[in-house]
Each structure stands twice: as C-alpha cells, then as structure tokens.
Amino acid sequence: MKILAIDTSCDDTSVAISDGLNILANVFWSKMKLHSDWGGVVPIEAKRQHEQFLDPAIQECLKQANLKLEQIDYIAITYGPGLAIALEAGITKAKELSKTYNKKIVAVNHMIGHVYSVLARDNEGNPISDLHDFEFPLLALTISGGHTDMYLMTDHLKFQNIGQTLDDSVGEAIDKVGRMLGMGFPAGAKIEESAKKGDASKFKFPRPLSDSMDLNWSFSGLKTAVLYQVRKIVGDYSHKPQKGDFKLEDASDMLDENTIYDISASFQQAAIDSLLIKVEKALKNHKPKMLVVGGGVIANKTLRDQLDTLTKKYSTPLFFPKPIWLCTDNASMIAVAGYFYAKENRFVKNLDELDRVPALTI
Amino acid sequence: MFEFEIKSEKDMKMVVDEVLSFYSGESLILNCIGDLGTGKTTFTKYLAKELGVTNIVISPTFIIQKEYQGHHDQKKVNLQHIDMYRLVNEYELDEIKLKSIFKPNTIVVIEWANKFLDYIEKLAIETGSKVYYLYFEHVDIETRKVYLKKIEIN
C-alpha cells in the first residue's frame, strides 16, 4: 500500500511516501532560522512557505521513491492540531491531488502521528526505532511545543486520555525559559547544551502537581518560578509591557554564563522530574506492556536517559523515535499512522467535509 | 479602574465576577496585558469556569486561538481565547479573522493584546464591541495585582 503523506501543521513543510510502514522518501522544507530572531513561528509566513514548497516537495519525494502520482494508492493529510492557516495549505493541496488523480484521503491526527512515528521502517523494512509492532495495553506519552498528554492504548488507534497538562505544555515552558535566557526559538537543544555545563541542584524549582493523585501536569508555575529566580539575581528587569515590545523577558545580558548554565540545568531537571513522576504513576497503575514516547521534546537526550532508567525499574520496554527528524514534525509519521487508518477503512467520505481542526484532540 | 490583589489563584474569581457583573450578551473584548506568569491564562480558566465551560482551558500560545462554549444568564456564550505572543504583523490578524469573532454573545480574551491595541480598538469600533482592559502585575512570588478598566469606546 503506497501512501503519499503531507504535514503542514506548523512551520515545517514535510512530504513523505511510504509503502506500508516502509518510508521510501521524506522531504522537509524548514524556515526555522528566519523565525528565531524574535522567538516564534510567524503563521502567515509558514502558510506562504507551505504554498510555495508543497509542489516541489511532492515532486522531489516522487523522484526519490521512483514513483508517479498515478501509482500512489492513498493520500494521508494532517487535519489538526496545529496552526489553522498552515493546516489549510496542506489540506487544500491534498484535496486538489485527490480530485485530479482520483485518490482516497485519510485525515490523520498529528498527535496520533507522533505516537506512530516509532513504527516507521526504512526502505528495506528495518524498524528505524527498533520496534516491530505495538503491544497492548500501551502507554503513550506525547510531549511537544503544544502538547503534554498521556494515553492508554488498548488496540491500534484506540486511545484513552489518562493525563494532560492543565496549562502550558512542557515544550512551551522550555521555549519561554529559553527566551528569558536569550536562547532564541526553538530553545530545546540550547537548553540541553547549556544544562550539561550547569549544576542541576543549584536552584530549587518546583515540580508542580507532583503530589496530586491524577496523571495531570502543570508547567506554568515552573516557568514563573524560573522568572522569579532570574529577577532575584538581576533585580527587577521587567517594565510594563509596551506596544510593540516583544523582548521584555530576555535577561541574558544581565546574567553571567555560569548562572545561565545552572538555571538551565536546574530547570531542565525540574521539567524532567515533573514528567517522570506522572509516568511512574502511570506505569504503576496501568502496568502497560510498553511505553512509547513521541514529539519534539523527546529529542532531549537527558530525558531519554532518565526515562530509560525509570522504565528499566519497572521492566517496561521503552520506545521513542531514534533519529531527531522522526521526533519533530514530519510527514513520515503521518504516512505510518495513515497506513493504520487505511487498513481500518477510515477514509474521508466527502471531500467538502474535510476541514482543518486546529484544536483537535485524540 | 478596579484594583484586585490576588493572593491565591481562587482570588481570580473576584476579577471574573466584576467582568461579568453587567454582561448581557454583547460583544465583549478583554484585552489582557502583563508579563509572563502574571495570571492571564489563570484568569481565563476562572472566566471559563464561571461560564460553565467543562473543557480544560490550556495556554493557546502554540495554536494562537481556541474556542469554548459556555453560558451566562441562561444564554449561550462563545468564549474565544486568543494569544498574540507569537504574532508580529497586523495582516496576521486579518488572517485569523479576528473581526469575524467580535460579535454578540461572544467574549474574546486576548492575551498580549498590547502588541496590537490600535488594531483591536479599530475593529471594536467597527463591530460595536465593548472593550475592557486587564493589567496583570507581579507583586511577589505569591501575589499578583490585576487592574480592570472598563471603557466604552463607542
């Protein structure tokens, strides 16, 4: 089964072609560098980029896979969650291809894509992340810029939400702390690099909700605690926000290098502990056959190592997408999830009803 | 100008009560202005709770706009939660169709509204919306101050 997948949920334009779970081609176009100056994604720029690069990306993918569009069986498209106008660019293209080439569409939830990214195989059929198939019940953790959620899966595509953040996602907290420390956007890799040189026990940051019985998280309070620590060190550096004033929280000029390293390390450990406390509760309560983690934040190696230690304690196998490109947004995971949607006959019945759902949940 | 001292999260209900005290289904815009961690999203959570919204209100920084259904005085109220933290240019506001959500029976909370105040006020006049300003300030780690200014700009 050959699937052409498109993901335009945020600022990366990604197109992939798979044969079953085997990824034959995956093409990215990212303008991340242009966004980092001021600290975020510019939605309208992302949309323009998608519109401009979707066609060449599709052509490049077909070339790499040595296929023609006529030979594709189905189209898989991300319909949410994500930035509304960015999602729309991909959906419009998918509908156009569907009509021109008479192909059925599967509309894929981007977050389900992140969970399924671990099942991607290379073009020879070898599992890229050393996992052949899911075993249920499965515990799935999705951690990214917009999400911090935990699910219990009882079968393929059957999800039960058992935990989520009550305010900010972990990725958002990382990016906002990164901004205070002058690291630009996205800040994940830079925080981790900086944390390596710092002392994680130097500052006492909270692990919000760690005593609560449920499996929910809160990262807003952790972010604010870091802000207060920074203020305590440099004196109150903020002023009332003015119109057109975007950089009010960057305090990096007033902090010495070692302090930035220590804040990074202490914050990173608090964020990891917060995640792990609830993952451990879920391992105890639900005794899953395996833990699967997806989303951009699992690119963090310190988190990977500590999750590994934790899951070993419970003899629960741990899987996450090994290469970084499979952790962050990509169309391969949409192709892989799309394969399971197609196997279950979950096609879009009426093209006119296919619409973006920016706040889509699982 | 109303002034509230927020000693614990629950105190945010006082602000919500004042905001809703004369609300009767008009188009209402709440411009929320304040630094990171001063309680803008917490305020929105309590507003949603008061409107009977059952979903968990989370930060919309990532997706920019989120919509909830609630009710007030036995009438349906549409709650729109917008975060302008990531937006840079006014034409992006055209793109998220801001004008189309300024309508009766809708309360629009706008975090980081200070970035586009002129634009928001212009649309508010065009759509006959009421505009309130909420300023959020840090006092110390446990305490916030919220100032509420109700302005009839029409």
Side-chain angles (χ1 to χ4, degrees):
Chain A
M1 188 194 295
K2 294 194 178 59
I3 295 177
L4 173 81
I6 298 173
D7 183 83
T8 60
S9 56
C10 192
D11 57 340
D12 288 342
T13 310
S14 182
V15 179
I17 294 176
S18 69
D19 185 1
L21 299 176
N22 304 1
I23 306 302
L24 305 181
N26 192 104
V27 170
F28 291 96
W29 187 276
S30 171
K31 234 163 81 175
M32 204 73 100
K33 282 194 188 70
L34 288 180
H35 297 159
S36 55
D37 301 345
W38 66 276
V41 178
V42 185
I44 188 93
E45 293 299 330
K47 178 196 169 199
R48 287 199 185 129
Q49 173 199 299
H50 294 317
E51 286 169 351
Q52 190 179 349
F53 291 106
L54 268 171
D55 277 331
I58 291 166
Q59 289 313 318
E60 176 62 25
C61 251
L62 288 166
K63 203 175 120 195
Q64 284 183 19
N66 199 17
L67 288 170
K68 290 196 169 68
L69 249 164
E70 288 77 5
Q71 295 168 282
I72 297 290
D73 296 301
Y74 308 117
I75 295 163
I77 177 72
T78 300
Y79 73 112
L83 295 171
I85 60 174
L87 289 165
E88 195 169 270
I91 291 173
T92 305
K93 178 55 67 185
K95 284 183 178 177
E96 183 193 311
L97 293 175
S98 167
K99 280 177 193 154
T100 313
Y101 295 92
N102 194 25
K103 305 289 180 196
K104 282 197 220 175
I105 294 183
V106 282
V108 176
N109 181 318
H110 182 82
M111 299 316 292
I112 292 183
H114 274 305
V115 175
Y116 275 80
S117 59
V118 282
L119 291 179
R121 298 176 183 203
D122 65 19
N123 56 7
E124 289 172 351
N126 306 307
I128 297 173
S129 309
D130 304 327
L131 175 60
H132 277 90
D133 199 5
F134 288 164
E135 281 179 49
F136 305 104
L138 177 152
L139 184 65
L141 173 69
T142 50
I143 40 178
S144 65
H147 292 84
T148 306
D149 296 301
M150 200 148 48
Y151 299 92
L152 199 64
M153 287 180 74
T154 49
D155 200 348
H156 275 296
L157 301 180
K158 289 204 169 54
F159 291 84
Q160 183 200 344
N161 181 242
I162 54 170
Q164 69 166 96
T165 180
L166 301 179
D167 39 55
D168 297 2
S169 74
V170 61
E172 183 177 339
I174 292 170
D175 283 333
K176 284 183 174 166
V177 168
R179 205 161 158 181
M180 292 172 209
L181 302 180
M183 291 174 178
F185 175 91
K190 285 175 189 156
I191 290 259
E192 186 176 18
E193 206 44 48
S194 168
K196 277 184 197 152
K197 296 174 231 164
D199 173 6
S201 61
K202 181 86 182 185
F203 299 106
K204 301 270 171 288
F205 293 133
R207 278 75 173 150
L209 291 186
S210 55
D211 294 333
S212 74
M213 295 299 287
D214 57 38
L215 298 172
N216 294 329
W217 291 276
S218 162
F219 288 97
S220 177
L222 172 56
K223 164 194 79 186
T224 307
V226 176
L227 181 70
Y228 272 102
Q229 185 58 56
V230 170
R231 284 191 173 165
K232 216 167 121 187
I233 298 166
V234 303
D236 192 356
Y237 67 95
S238 104
H239 46 92
K240 277 220 176 85
Q242 301 296 314
K243 205 161 78 182
D245 185 359
F246 310 141
K247 290 194 169 163
L248 67 154
E249 337 78 309
D250 184 351
S252 55
D253 292 348
M254 293 170 271
L255 294 167
D256 66 66
E257 264 190 346
N258 286 323
T259 308
I260 291 183
Y261 299 153
D262 290 341
I263 293 174
S264 302
S266 304
F267 161 71
Q268 177 178 270
Q269 195 51 52
I272 291 177
D273 284 350
S274 300
L275 287 171
L276 263 54
I277 288 164
K278 294 303 167 84
V279 169
E280 181 163 15
K281 270 197 182 127
L283 291 173
K284 272 188 204 161
N285 295 351
H286 297 284
K287 300 183 177 58
K289 294 259 174 61
M290 55 176 64
L291 169 64
V292 167
V293 189
V297 179
I298 194 60
N300 183 299
K301 179 137 190 326
T302 318
L303 171 62
R304 290 178 171 199
D305 291 345
Q306 295 189 24
L307 266 174
D308 189 53
T309 308
L310 174 70
T311 48
K312 282 209 170 89
K313 197 171 126 190
Y314 290 87
S315 308
T316 309
L318 166 70
F319 297 97
F320 47 77
K322 286 245 163 100
I324 302 288
W325 66 268
L326 257 182
C327 300
T328 51
D329 296 347
N330 67 86
S332 290
M333 66 185 198
I334 303 304
V336 172
Y339 168 75
F340 287 93
Y341 278 68
K343 274 212 314 196
E344 292 191 6
N345 244 329
R346 286 164 64 166
F347 296 102
V348 174
K349 291 192 182 69
N350 181 354
L351 274 195
D352 295 332
E353 281 168 18
L354 172 58
D355 199 5
R356 64 192 194 187
V357 185
L360 182 66
T361 53
I362 294 186
Chain B
M1 180 93 100
F2 299 84
E3 189 181 324
F4 304 90
E5 195 172 61
I6 311 295
K7 286 269 185 200
S8 85
E9 251 191 54
K10 291 189 187 74
D11 295 341
M12 211 51 104
K13 188 173 181 307
M14 301 186 297
V15 186
V16 170
D17 287 345
E18 187 54 49
V19 165
L20 291 176
S21 60
F22 293 101
Y23 185 71
S24 58
E26 61 274 28
S27 172
L28 176 63
I29 299 164
L30 306 176
N31 285 326
C32 294
I33 300 169
D35 206 349
L36 279 179
T38 45
K40 302 183 292 298
T41 301
T42 306
F43 162 75
T44 313
K45 272 180 184 294
Y46 276 81
L47 174 63
K49 198 174 155 194
E50 203 57 34
L51 294 172
V53 173
T54 49
N55 314 56
I56 297 175
V57 172
I58 59 166
S59 163
T61 300
F62 191 74
I63 61 164
I64 296 166
Q65 183 178 3
K66 230 176 151 174
E67 186 181 354
Y68 304 92
Q69 301 304 327
H71 50 83
H72 183 69
D73 286 347
Q74 279 104 45
K75 271 193 295 190
K76 279 186 182 164
V77 176
N78 182 258
L79 175 65
Q80 294 275 352
H81 191 191
I82 292 178
D83 191 329
M84 297 193 165
Y85 186 76
R86 284 150 53 102
L87 302 180
V88 181
N89 303 301
E90 284 190 356
Y91 57 74
E92 294 174 62
L93 302 179
D94 295 334
E95 199 72 30
I96 64 169
K97 301 186 175 72
L98 199 58
K99 190 175 174 180
S100 69
I101 60 169
F102 289 177
K103 58 187 179 197
N105 300 311
T106 306
I107 298 178
V108 184
V109 177
I110 307 180
E111 297 195 28
W112 298 92
N114 47 304
K115 293 173 76 170
F116 298 102
L117 277 187
D118 292 346
Y119 184 102
I120 296 166
E121 283 167 4
K122 193 181 104 222
L123 286 192
I125 292 169
E126 285 175 24
T127 53
S129 304
K130 245 191 206 176
V131 183
Y132 293 178
Y133 291 81
L134 290 110
Y135 298 93
F136 296 78
E137 277 184 15
H138 287 288
V139 178
D140 56 52
I141 194 130
E142 270 112 33
T143 321
R144 309 279 185 274
K145 273 229 164 118
V146 181
Y147 302 90
L148 169 66
K149 213 158 79 180
K150 300 182 174 186
I151 297 180
E152 304 268 350
I153 55 172
N154 295 302

